[in-house]
Amino acid sequence: MSALTELSGGPSLPQRRRLVTDVPGPKSQELMARKQAAVAAGVGTVMPVFAARAGGGIVEDVDGNSFIDFGSGIAVTGVGNSAEAVVRRASAQLASFTHTCAMVTPYEGYVEVCEELARLTPGDHAKKSLLLNSGAEAVENAVKIARYHTKRQAVVAFDHGYHGRTNLTMALTAKSMPYKHGFGPFAPEIYRVPLAYPYRWPTGQENCAEEAAAQVIEQISKQVGAENTAAILIEPILGEGGFIVPARGFLPRIAEFAAEHGIVLIADEIQSGFCRTGQWFACEDEGIVPDLITTAKGIAGGLPLAAVTGRGEIMDAAHTGGLGGTYGGNPVACAAALGAIETMRALDLPARARRIEEIMKPRLLAMADKHPVIGDIRGRGAMLAIELVVPGTKDPDPAATAAVAAACHREGLIVLTTGTYGNVLRFLPPLVIGEDLLNEGLDILEAAWTRL
Ligand SMILES: *Cc1c(COP(=O)(O)O)cnc(C)c1O
């Protein structure tokens, strides 16, 4: 058995796609009826199949169907489900103690995760971290810290940005439906500026970085005032906004502007971080060293954990007792994170992500040549996407996107859609997925275009 299979939670589960019932099967349908009766309707369902087991590149449902996983539970299980080191370390911690509260009597695991974050995140300056439970909570705390440090209030976020569903992070998120619609009022002192979105830049891709950066700087300078701006918050590759890779040169220009004006640059790497894009963090690609970085999703192999990591002097600004939370940095989640990080190193998962791109990108580009509904192929590493448009135009085609996703689901491939216009298919396979499953998933996708 290969190290990949052995360490990735694969061994307990045959690594093959197998459909034994219609999708969804009878047991899933029964559970779905119970869900509808007991769970708030606001909690959506991408695929109405109920999970029973998962590992490697496979999710098995309660009816015995095995699906190829191109979603990783939204970029969470990069190391695989129930990865060996995650299970080993989290189980040992479960048996020792489950909670004392890091603010009451601390424990080593919390400190060790913060030490790892200092080592792994970009920049060789002195760093400190704060651990939390969810991505949204990390973003909220990054904003609290930036405001306290700068004694300024304004926070700048970008078109197409997504930062969570709590009140402050809804304000920071761009898209109304479904994230914000009906949930206002939203927090004040949030300002939205243009993003360098190459595919949709009005004067063309080649002008995108420069023109977008100039607009951002102009808007901050004239409408907000750089001296009033506490933080600029950006995803180095956008997640829910549609896997938009900002045009090269845009991020460095924004980082430079932030540094010139004492504005805290916060990189939200909650989706793009932890090896997903072929590097430990996506902002490394253009050599960006953010002042603060938020992480969550991929950090702990599926257990809820999030962090804010950043420059020591900024992280230390707030008074003692000003930051924290009952569960933040739960010991079992910390143990899981240490197991996940151990796995990322042992299997060199940044290299695995690059290998996934090497396999997927050419096949996606070949599909784009054949199918005019494909407007753009983009992303890096194992964070890749297709933007669908009405052929011959750039008009978003969310209906075709939903149809292709549904065709994949029926054939046993988990894929997710995303994007401001709902017209992006996104691919986030576990970084430990076998190459045969990866190719089989792409075969299913290829066949799906002909069903449009
Ligand atoms: C998912 C996500 C969040 C929110 O994380 P939760 O854990 O769902 O609160 C914030 N920012 C980005 C970039 C994300 O992808």
Side-chain angles (χ1 to χ4, degrees):
M1 196 180 294
S2 73
L4 195 64
T5 322
E6 207 165 316
L7 298 178
S8 67
S12 56
L13 205 57
Q15 292 297 297
R16 61 177 154 72
R17 175 179 66 110
R18 195 168 73 118
L19 296 181
V20 295
T21 70
D22 285 342
V23 177
K27 289 184 178 152
S28 278
Q29 286 181 38
E30 211 180 296
L31 283 164
M32 202 61 197
R34 282 171 54 196
K35 176 179 183 276
Q36 271 154 6
V39 178
V43 181
T45 306
V46 173
M47 284 177 72
V49 299
F50 280 72
R53 297 191 299 169
I58 290 289
V59 175
E60 191 182 284
D61 77 3
V62 289
D63 292 289
N65 298 303
S66 295
F67 298 86
I68 300 175
D69 185 7
F70 274 14
S72 299
I74 319 190
V76 169
T77 53
V79 297
N81 255 291
S82 305
E84 186 279 330
V86 172
V87 173
R88 169 168 41 82
R89 292 202 190 215
S91 306
Q93 181 58 51
L94 263 174
S96 306
F97 63 94
T98 48
H99 174 85
T100 59
C101 185
M103 302 182 301
V104 178
T105 58
Y107 35 86
E108 187 178 356
Y110 190 116
V111 178
E112 222 179 322
V113 170
C114 296
E115 289 167 349
E116 287 286 21
L117 285 163
R119 278 191 278 273
L120 295 169
T121 53
D124 49 17
H125 50 278
K127 291 175 208 153
K128 292 201 170 178
S129 291
L130 160 72
L131 302 184
L132 304 143
N133 304 295
S134 70
E137 213 188 340
V139 172
E140 293 241 0
N141 277 277
V143 169
K144 277 172 69 172
I145 292 165
R147 283 178 167 159
Y148 202 109
H149 169 74
T150 56
K151 308 204 165 30
R152 304 172 183 174
Q153 295 189 353
V155 177
V156 170
F158 289 79
D159 283 343
H160 310 287
Y162 178 85
H163 302 287
R165 297 169 179 267
T166 57
N167 187 263
L168 177 61
T169 58
M170 278 193 293
L172 292 163
T173 290
K175 188 176 175 178
S176 172
M177 190 57 118
Y179 307 124
K180 304 166 76 163
H181 177 80
F183 297 132
F186 303 112
E189 286 305 312
I190 308 291
Y191 300 88
R192 193 163 309 286
V193 294
L195 177 85
Y197 185 167
Y199 178 65
R200 294 192 177 277
W201 196 254
T203 60
Q205 244 164 252
E206 59 290 357
N207 304 313
C208 180
E210 200 176 315
E211 288 181 9
Q215 289 180 16
V216 169
I217 290 167
E218 158 99 6
Q219 288 188 18
I220 296 175
S221 306
K222 300 297 175 231
Q223 297 176 24
V224 189
E227 68 282 11
N228 302 318
T229 305
I232 298 177
L233 170 66
I234 189 159
E235 299 156 84
I237 295 184
L238 281 76
E240 307 306 304
F243 282 26
I244 305 164
V245 184
R248 262 196 116 61
F250 179 74
L251 291 173
R253 185 67 196 98
I254 299 300
E256 185 184 51
F257 174 77
E260 280 165 14
H261 295 276
I263 299 169
V264 175
L265 179 70
I266 308 172
D268 183 347
E269 292 245 20
I270 288 167
Q271 192 152 163
S272 59
F274 282 103
C275 316
R276 175 57 54 189
T277 63
Q279 289 165 304
W280 279 86
F281 295 95
C283 53
E284 289 169 46
D285 195 59
E286 289 190 87
I288 306 293
V289 178
D291 299 307
L292 300 179
I293 178 165
T294 54
T295 53
K297 294 193 168 90
I299 192 175
L303 275 82
L305 188 70
V308 184
T309 301
R311 296 187 187 280
E313 70 276 16
I314 301 178
M315 292 297 297
D316 278 342
H319 52 274
T320 302
L323 305 174
T326 306
Y327 290 116
N330 168 271
V332 181
C334 286
L338 294 169
I341 292 166
E342 178 187 325
T343 309
M344 293 175 207
R345 282 207 184 92
L347 296 176
D348 190 2
L349 290 190
R352 290 298 315 157
R354 295 193 295 275
R355 175 71 187 143
I356 288 171
E357 177 177 352
E358 234 172 67
I359 295 171
M360 290 190 76
K361 260 269 179 75
R363 292 201 57 186
L364 298 179
L365 289 166
M367 291 178 207
D369 280 344
K370 272 196 264 175
H371 303 289
V373 68
I374 300 179
D376 194 27
I377 304 283
R378 58 178 176 249
R380 276 207 306 273
M383 185 171 184
L384 300 172
I386 300 177
E387 177 158 359
L388 282 78
V389 293
V390 176
T393 75
K394 287 193 177 181
D395 299 344
D397 196 341
T401 312
V404 173
C408 291
H409 296 167
R410 276 194 303 275
E411 292 303 313
L413 175 66
I414 301 174
V415 293
L416 307 173
T417 61
T418 189
T420 299
Y421 314 108
N423 67 327
V424 175
L425 284 170
R426 61 169 151 174
F427 309 111
L428 293 160
L431 306 177
V432 296
I433 193 171
E435 293 186 8
D436 46 347
L437 283 184
L438 198 59
N439 274 306
E440 193 181 344
L442 289 163
D443 295 341
I444 292 170
L445 178 66
E446 202 164 321
W449 301 108
T450 59
R451 308 233 168 82
L452 276 181

